[in-house]
Amino acid sequence: MPDFSVLTDYFDVYMEGFLNTIYASVIALIASFLLGTVIAVFRISSVRPLRWVGTVYVEFIRNIPLLLVVYIFFLGLPLLGITLNGFVCGTIGLTVYTAAFIAEAIRAGIMSVPKGQTEAALSSGLTYVQAMRYVVLPQAVKIVIPPLSNQFLNLVKNSSVLSVIAGLDLMYFGDKVASDTYATIDTYLFVAAFYLVLTLPLSFAAHRLERRLAKHG
Amino acid sequence: MISFRQVEKHYGDFHVLKDIHLQIGQGEVVVIVGPSGSGKSTMLRCINRLETITSGELIVSGQAVNDKKTNINRLRRNIGMVFQHFNLYPHMKVIDNITLAPRKVLGQTKQEAEQTAMYFLEKVGIEDKANQYPSQLSGGQQQRVAIARGLAMKPQVMLFDEPTSALDPEMVGEVLDVMKALAGEGMTMVVVTHEMGFAREVADRVVFMDQGRIVEEARPGEFFSNPREERARLFLNRVLNH
Amino acid sequence: MMTRKWLAVAFMVLVMSVSVMTGCGNEKGGNTPGASDGNPDAGAEETLLDTIKSRGKLIVGVKYDTKLFGLKNPANNEVEGFDVDIAKALAKSILGDETKIELKEVTSKTRIPMLDNNEIDLIVATMTITEERKEQVDFSEVYFKAGQSLLVKKGSAIKGIDDVKKGTKVLAVKGSTSVDNIIERAPDANVLEFDNYQDAFSALKAGQGDVLTTDNAILYGMMAQDPGYEVVGEPFTDEPYGIAIKKGETELVDAVNAGLAAMKESGEYNEIYKQWIGEEPAE
């Protein structure tokens, strides 16, 4: 039986972290989706330099640990005269990191839409961007939803990386409570419960969306 | 209207189009025939730059297709295209398939675009399918929607890339009928097909291609009764005698 | 059943071999302070100081892994640091020669048992004088004023704990008492906690905070690493380091204190302090 006083005595502390984790996740989720979409479009673009930028981005970011990406923003940016706090750096790092995976998921989705669709759209006079927006992406979405929701779940969990750069997230305060109370296991159990409060609904929503999209042609 | 001069195309080491010269005038119906792999579809797809040419000159409606200064999107509005596999947008209803380009490219209102769409759907004989999804239609119906979709942009020329090859035999006729009617109205058409009957009946001119070259170009009566080239004769023997 | 029996046997063998090995270690050492004349009981009246003098060698426990205080230099295998130099200076003052010394590695856990076992004469190993420890060992005078302090970028407006105010970003290490101490002394400060000292120092260097707080011994180590940073103000907690001596060896305590006093008098202490800590000792 876990020691619930670790939860009740420090509830405000957990809540501060919990809210910050939500903020960081929501911001990074939206931003990484937008950035990931742009990178994906770069990767399949017919313009070689864009394709090159997209590939370099994905291969670099995807192949280094998130922790390092976050450190680069937290410790590296100040070298360029830009000092942002742990929360901001962590959220940017999460965004940049997750965008690489989202770009790959979206690219795979786009590639799975038959080439004839783009050709039909282009030959009717739509621009490349319009063809993407009205014809290809809506079809890609269905294929992209499952891997994308995976990435979003990972993002929420990965937000715990903020704790190492004093990002004031749930994990940061969890560590703090654990070291204050020495009730390490109990504390982390409650921290896990808080994460589940966030991730389980997201997981259910993703499943429902998948089922709904599967129904419509 | 369309003019190929000394056009060459390479896919890496593969020489797809060799020294293509071809003039197509306003209102002409040109049918391109030839064995598969002869470069017919590639040549057709060069016209709206779904394929790029390696060298030579290709002019459509007075504009050099491969010139960087040419606004390709603007040029493509005037060139309708129908594909072998229809390429309807599966996530859109028939009506939306047709109105997408007029609305997004020509800036028509929804109402305006839908009126035009219904006009052409009637013309291809499936106005009752407007609110269905492509997957609910037969192949022949889908291809007729695709033709209506091309026409809705009121293009100056229509390109057909083997429009009946993916159809069950009993559906070929309904599509060809639509195309015949279109030709009768004076639409400029370039058609890649294996339907020799259609070529004979509708074409102003038949172009025979083999191994990336235009081997023979003739009026259909002449081409079918008395081909000049040996390769054309062999080809006709093969396709007509079964 | 059989397995359990065998396990028990194996365990006994293990325990025995460990005790034999440690026993061997003692014997091989041959210079165990209490056993120097081969008969510990015979030296009952002899003080430890006498033993040291007759042995002609001071055996000192120092740390081998602590930056600035006692660290084994991998390049030459020498143990170097503030504690080591203090120990050598004591050898000189007691035996007249700073080379008449033997260093033994201790850790926070092993140092008191080793002292009790007569394996070492003195502990000079970043050991804080506490009431609790005073019941186990005797301490010399304070030879290093350790305590929690502040590290800042040189030229910072923060000169001491009183300058840490509301909005000051204080960097610390998670789960350390230094967090509690700083919150007590500067309740309005914005404390940001990191997983380890390296991360906290990197964050300070990156401008992610205004001051870093922890034990000054660690801060001096960081200062040695990057001279662009300095320790400011007096320690605001009191954790004085003392030299520990086996309980009851008053003569040795006096000798050590005399040695320390002489070092301070001659300026040798200041030299050693400056060499390792990087600044003059505060008066």
Side-chain angles (χ1 to χ4, degrees):
Chain A
M1 193 61 190
D3 177 3
F4 277 96
S5 70
V6 177
L7 178 65
T8 49
D9 292 356
Y10 289 87
F11 193 74
D12 293 346
V13 177
Y14 286 112
M15 276 318 283
E16 184 181 350
F18 184 60
L19 288 178
N20 282 333
T21 289
I22 293 178
Y23 295 147
S25 300
V26 170
I27 296 168
L29 194 140
I30 295 167
S32 63
F33 180 68
L34 296 177
L35 182 60
T37 308
V38 171
I39 299 293
V41 171
F42 275 23
R43 283 211 75 180
I44 53 170
S45 155
S46 55
V47 184
R48 196 166 300 174
L50 289 186
R51 214 159 56 214
W52 199 77
V53 167
T55 306
V56 168
Y57 182 94
V58 168
E59 291 308 332
F60 261 79
I61 301 295
R62 185 166 71 152
N63 291 310
I64 49 179
L66 170 60
L67 190 60
L68 285 185
V69 176
V70 167
Y71 274 137
I72 289 168
F73 285 101
F74 189 67
L75 301 176
L77 271 190
L79 299 178
L80 306 174
I82 307 163
T83 306
L84 303 169
N85 68 34
F87 177 83
V88 175
C89 289
T91 308
I92 295 175
L94 264 182
T95 301
V96 165
Y97 181 79
T98 311
F101 291 90
I102 288 181
E104 278 308 89
I106 292 180
R107 186 179 73 109
I110 291 173
M111 299 295 273
S112 70
V113 176
K115 213 173 143 221
Q117 292 290 312
T118 320
E119 290 183 347
L122 290 180
S123 67
S124 70
L126 291 172
T127 63
Y128 180 75
V129 173
Q130 286 175 322
M132 276 290 152
R133 168 144 180 233
Y134 298 113
V135 175
V136 178
L137 291 181
Q139 296 183 58
V141 161
K142 217 185 306 179
I143 299 149
V144 166
I145 288 291
L148 215 56
S149 47
N150 259 335
Q151 289 309 326
F152 287 151
L153 285 173
N154 281 340
L155 184 149
V156 175
K157 293 180 288 171
N158 283 343
S159 71
S160 62
V161 77
L162 265 73
S163 69
V164 301
I165 52 165
L168 311 183
D169 69 316
L170 181 54
M171 198 66 194
Y172 175 83
F173 286 110
D175 283 346
K176 209 170 148 64
V177 173
S179 58
D180 273 8
T181 58
Y182 296 105
T184 312
I185 293 177
D186 304 84
T187 307
Y188 287 141
L189 272 177
F190 295 124
V191 169
F194 273 107
Y195 277 109
L196 285 174
V197 168
L198 268 182
T199 49
L200 281 182
L202 201 59
S203 199
F204 281 127
H207 279 302
R208 283 193 55 174
L209 189 60
E210 262 170 62
R211 274 203 302 272
R212 246 185 52 197
L213 285 172
K215 262 185 224 159
H216 296 281
Chain B
M1 180 89 253
I2 300 170
S3 155
F4 285 80
R5 280 173 65 185
Q6 253 188 306
V7 169
E8 306 272 341
K9 177 166 179 65
H10 298 262
Y11 271 130
D13 285 342
F14 185 44
H15 201 167
V16 203
L17 296 180
K18 299 169 186 161
D19 192 28
I20 300 291
H21 289 261
L22 182 66
Q23 307 295 321
I24 298 167
Q26 177 104 43
E28 242 192 317
V29 176
V30 173
V31 172
I32 303 165
V33 299
S36 50
S38 59
K40 326 181 280 288
S41 284
T42 306
M43 187 172 85
L44 187 78
R45 289 160 58 86
C46 285
I47 295 171
N48 64 355
R49 212 167 89 183
L50 288 182
E51 304 284 350
T52 53
I53 61 174
T54 311
S55 67
E57 188 184 71
L58 171 55
I59 294 177
V60 177
S61 304
Q63 286 180 291
V65 175
N66 278 69
D67 191 329
K68 283 212 173 76
K69 277 174 278 181
T70 300
N71 182 338
I72 187 64
N73 296 318
R74 189 167 275 276
L75 184 61
R76 279 172 178 160
R77 292 177 196 177
N78 297 322
I79 310 171
M81 186 156 190
V82 175
F83 299 86
Q84 179 178 356
H85 296 287
F86 333 135
N87 296 352
L88 294 181
Y89 312 134
H91 59 300
M92 292 182 190
K93 288 178 182 165
V94 163
I95 186 86
D96 299 324
N97 261 276
I98 300 173
T99 58
L100 178 69
R103 290 175 63 194
K104 300 302 170 191
V105 178
L106 303 179
Q108 290 181 8
T109 63
K110 191 170 161 63
Q111 201 188 3
E112 204 180 344
E114 284 185 352
Q115 244 167 9
T116 319
M118 287 313 295
Y119 170 79
F120 285 109
L121 274 179
E122 248 168 77
K123 205 165 164 148
V124 299
I126 39 173
E127 65 274 24
D128 54 325
K129 304 289 185 192
N131 284 310
Q132 303 209 342
Y133 282 92
S135 57
Q136 297 168 293
L137 270 54
S138 73
Q141 290 169 330
Q142 288 192 49
Q143 194 61 300
R144 284 188 279 157
V145 172
I147 294 171
R149 180 173 70 177
L151 292 173
M153 289 295 284
K154 308 215 171 90
Q156 295 171 329
V157 53
M158 285 287 287
L159 310 179
F160 294 84
D161 188 3
E162 304 201 23
T164 56
S165 301
L167 293 176
D168 291 336
E170 70 268 25
M171 293 173 185
V172 171
E174 62 191 68
V175 171
L176 291 181
D177 286 344
V178 170
M179 290 169 64
K180 276 178 210 163
L182 201 54
E185 288 168 19
M187 172 64 77
T188 310
M189 292 165 67
V190 185
V191 184
V192 171
T193 188
H194 296 289
E195 294 298 326
M196 294 305 145
F198 176 82
R200 198 196 300 257
E201 190 182 335
V202 182
D204 294 313
R205 203 150 28 113
V206 176
V207 172
F208 172 70
M209 286 185 76
D210 192 23
Q211 294 179 353
R213 281 181 203 284
I214 294 180
V215 178
E216 184 164 347
E217 213 184 314
R219 302 217 151 264
E222 232 171 281
F223 177 76
F224 287 104
S225 56
N226 186 22
R228 287 191 303 270
E229 297 288 329
E230 179 61 21
R231 276 190 279 175
R233 193 166 303 153
L234 285 171
F235 171 75
L236 284 176
N237 269 336
R238 256 201 333 271
V239 294
L240 294 179
N241 293 340
H242 58 251
Chain C
M1 276 309 276
M2 277 305 275
T3 341
R4 205 185 255 180
K5 210 167 175 182
W6 276 111
L7 270 177
V9 171
F11 183 72
M12 274 164 62
V13 169
L14 191 73
V15 169
M16 269 155 59
S17 50
V18 167
S19 39
V20 166
M21 269 159 65
T22 45
C24 274
N26 274 347
E27 225 140 301
K28 221 191 326 189
N31 46 22
T32 308
S36 58
D37 54 0
N39 184 354
D41 291 333
E45 287 156 28
E46 202 176 66
T47 66
L48 183 50
L49 182 61
D50 296 332
T51 312
I52 292 165
K53 284 186 170 159
S54 62
R55 187 203 304 137
K57 190 158 74 173
L58 184 66
I59 303 174
V60 182
V62 295
K63 291 213 174 157
Y64 277 31
D65 61 355
T66 307
K67 216 177 257 177
L68 299 186
F69 286 83
L71 185 67
K72 192 166 189 172
N73 182 342
N76 55 13
N77 270 339
E78 295 280 326
V79 187
E80 299 164 347
F82 181 77
D83 283 347
V84 174
D85 284 358
I86 293 289
K88 284 180 181 168
L90 287 174
K92 191 161 103 190
S93 100
I94 294 170
L95 297 170
D97 185 348
E98 67 163 38
T99 61
K100 290 188 172 168
I101 190 166
E102 183 185 339
L103 299 176
K104 284 195 176 180
E105 177 173 9
V106 298
T107 65
S108 302
K109 241 188 213 154
T110 63
R111 57 194 174 191
I112 291 180
M114 283 174 78
L115 192 70
D116 285 342
N117 274 345
N118 296 327
E119 287 178 57
I120 51 179
D121 303 321
L122 304 174
I123 300 171
V124 190
T126 64
M127 191 164 173
T128 304
I129 303 170
T130 63
E131 289 307 315
E132 201 183 21
R133 284 177 183 156
K134 274 184 185 168
E135 285 168 19
Q136 298 173 279
V137 296
D138 286 339
F139 278 106
S140 70
E141 298 291 321
V142 175
Y143 76 98
F144 182 80
K145 274 194 199 166
Q148 191 171 339
S149 197
L150 304 172
L151 183 75
V152 298
K153 195 182 173 78
K154 268 189 184 153
S156 162
I158 294 167
K159 302 289 179 209
I161 184 71
D162 294 334
D163 295 327
V164 178
K165 301 195 184 82
K166 191 178 166 96
T168 305
K169 280 190 194 166
V170 180
L171 310 177
V173 168
K174 274 176 199 161
S176 59
T177 49
S178 48
V179 175
D180 300 333
N181 292 334
I182 193 80
I183 289 172
E184 194 178 306
R185 292 297 303 265
D188 293 331
N190 180 9
V191 180
L192 298 172
E193 297 173 49
F194 291 84
D195 287 346
N196 55 54
Y197 293 116
Q198 190 52 48
D199 283 359
F201 189 34
S202 300
L204 180 70
K205 287 205 244 182
Q208 296 285 3
D210 305 307
V211 294
L212 196 167
T213 187
T214 183
D215 296 346
N216 59 353
I218 292 165
L219 296 180
Y220 283 122
M222 293 174 178
M223 195 171 126
Q225 217 179 65
D226 189 332
Y229 292 81
E230 61 180 349
V231 177
V232 292
E234 280 280 285
F236 52 89
T237 63
D238 201 19
E239 290 158 57
Y241 289 173
I243 295 166
I245 297 137
K246 195 175 184 181
K247 239 184 158 29
E249 298 290 349
T250 331
E251 296 79 3
L252 186 52
V253 175
D254 293 342
V256 168
N257 281 337
L260 285 175
M263 261 181 252
K264 284 182 177 165
E265 188 74 17
S266 68
E268 192 185 3
Y269 176 83
N270 276 24
E271 249 171 65
I272 296 172
Y273 197 100
K274 187 140 202 315
Q275 185 193 340
W276 292 106
I277 309 304
E279 58 181 31
E280 298 282 344
E283 282 315 307

